[in-house]
Amino acid sequence: MCLAQHLARYHAQGVLEGRAGSGTYVAEPRQRVRVVRSSARGQPQGSPFRADMRALGKQGDWESRTDAKVPAPVGIAARLGIAEGGLCVRTAYEFLADGRPVQLSTSWEPYDLTAGTLVVLPEGGSRAGTGVVNRMAAIGVTVSHAVEQPEPRQATAEEASLLGIQKATLVTHIRRTYYSDQGRPVETADIIVPAAHCEIVYEIPIHR
C-alpha cells in the first residue's frame, strides 16, 4: 500500500484531519456525534440538531448562506415536482459541534411556495432556525411526512475542505424530501455526514 493510500485510510478513520489552506495534522481525539433521524423527535420551539448536541454535552450551532430565486437543477426539480429551472430558495448549511464541522446540508424550497411570506428565508425572521415543519406551519402548510434515502459515497473536494477531512473519505449522503399533507414536496435537501465523525441512528415510532 502506497503512502497516499495509508493517508487516505487514516483520514477515513479520523486519525488525520485536513485544514483548508494549512495542511494535514494528527486529529485530536473526537467522540463520534450521534445523529438521530426520527419523525417522533420534533422540536416545536427550537432546532433538533441543537437538542441532539445538548444530549451529548456539546454546543450545537450552524452557519448558513441563503440565495433566493435560484434555478433548480434537473435532479432537484424532479424531487420537488417542479419544472427544470423553476425558481427556488437555496440554503447551504455547515453544522457545528463545539465549533467543529460535523455535517453539511444544502436545502432547496420552491420559491412560489414561500414568496411574499415572512418565512421565505429559512434563517431570517421570527421563525429563523426552527426547521421546515414549523416554518411551513406558519404559512398554513402542514408537513405530513419526510422521505430519506441514505447511501455511502466518497466526499468531494469541496465537502472535504468544509468538513476538514480528506477528499474521497467515506461519507453518508442523505437525500431528504418533506411533503405536505396534500402530497406536495415543500423542501428537499442533500445532507452530508462524515462516517468517521458521526453515527447515524434511525428511530422508528410504532403506532398501535
Side-chain angles (χ1 to χ4, degrees), residues 8 11-12 151-155 165-172 193-196:
H11 274 282
E151 62 181 30
R153 64 167 174 80
Q154 295 178 324
I165 59 178
Q166 181 76 10
K167 180 184 176 182
T169 294
L170 184 65
V171 298
T172 300
V193 182

Side-chain angles (χ1 to χ4, degrees), residues 30-53:
R30 294 178 66 173
Q31 175 189 6
R32 289 182 83 203
V33 172
R34 186 180 179 90
V35 178
V36 180
R37 318 292 302 171
S38 174
S39 62
R41 301 179 69 258
Q43 300 292 323
Q45 302 302 324
S47 159
F49 177 76
R50 282 200 175 114
D52 284 343
M53 295 305 100

